[in-house]
Amino acid sequence: MASDHSLLAHLVPKLTRGVEDAVTDALAFILNESKPCRDALVDMVSVGDRRLASVANARTQVVASEGERLDLVAYDTAGSNRLIIESKFWAPLQDGQARRYVGHLADDGLAVLLFVAPEVRHETLWVKIARQFEHPSELKLGSTRQVGNMIVADVVNGDKRIALMGWDTLLAGLTNADSSMDANLQQLHCLALAQDEAAFAPLHAEDLNATVPRRLMAFNRLVDGVASRGAGEGWMTNKGLRAVPGRDGYLRFIGFCDTDGERLIELALYVSLKRWADLGTTPLWLRIWHKQAIDLVDLKHRLAEPGWLPAWSEPNWLWVPIELPLGVEYEDTLDSATAQVKRVRDIVVEMA
């Protein structure tokens, strides 16, 4: 499922800038509604021979001493702060935040400060967390260990623990615990995933390799090549239509023509970075607006043949993927892409 194909993921960013708070509130709602989910959370952070006390309930935006506002606090049956969850998508770690938050945990038995953040951020975020316990801090962290997909370290000479976990890991563990919460957890997962995708992940050397921009420019060239060839063969027109670069990629407006050269529909041949990132299939798409002289539901059905990537519907658009062959040179790639676009055009002619 694409991350923006859920009600929460669609509405929450439109209604508030505090999306991280909304995610945390949704998590607290699920924990308060489901004892199996609370127990599963306890199991996830109770690694080794020390176990967290049972969690009875959870509250969000808890004001602690010195006015600090904790994202989520889970309390045991005695009302002690047994678990603090700090939701971290891409907001920076505040100076001394991890060290201060440990001080808000209960002192009688194991208590955990759990950071939940995108996994691609774990390496850099954990370094920053650990540095807050270096000299001259009175609190020290023991050795860091990896437990499954979670990073864990215990505070030296105490019963407190710091852990870092990904949203996927957390929500998968809760889903496995209570199937009655599947719908709510799926909504929350989509909302959390949407925040992951909108963020600026830490850069690696390969991200700055010149191959990346060269490949993107090659895709743009391919779009122009298909449009030029189709117009030259007479089944496509570019007359009065323009090419538009944008933040999501590059699109060229085109028209499909019938056998007499009359324009049937207008659409766009699109290098869509968002579709590519969401679906991981291809960078090249035909985007067809819903206000056309053909039935897009029927077109999608006709395109659903073996060997073709499935078309993808949105309220206002039909997206038809153009699959690119591997291991061939530009002319062969152009031939394949043009043939697929013409196949869509031929079906449109049959429907007209």
Side-chain angles (χ1 to χ4, degrees), residues 8 22-35 37-38 58-60 72 181 184-185 188:
L8 277 182
V23 172
T24 308
D25 286 337
L27 176 59
F29 171 82
I30 290 169
L31 293 175
N32 285 325
E33 290 291 310
S34 171
K35 184 178 186 301
C37 285
R38 296 196 299 272
R59 289 172 51 203
T60 60
L72 186 153
M181 301 301 289
N184 290 330
L185 285 162
L188 177 54

Side-chain angles (χ1 to χ4, degrees), residues 215-216 218-220 222-223 226 248-250 268-287 307-312 319-326 333 336-338 340-341 344:
R215 184 62 71 189
L216 291 176
F219 291 146
N220 295 350
L222 183 62
V223 165
V226 172
D248 180 33
Y250 175 75
L269 189 57
Y270 203 159
V271 177
S272 175
L273 303 182
K274 179 169 175 53
R275 301 286 86 70
W276 191 13
D278 282 348
L279 302 177
T281 48
T282 176
L284 191 59
W285 298 76
L286 284 173
R287 190 190 72 175
W308 264 63
L309 296 174
W312 192 52
W319 294 85
V320 181
I322 305 301
E323 190 171 14
L324 303 182
L326 304 178
T333 305
S336 175
T338 302
Q340 292 175 70
V341 174
V344 178

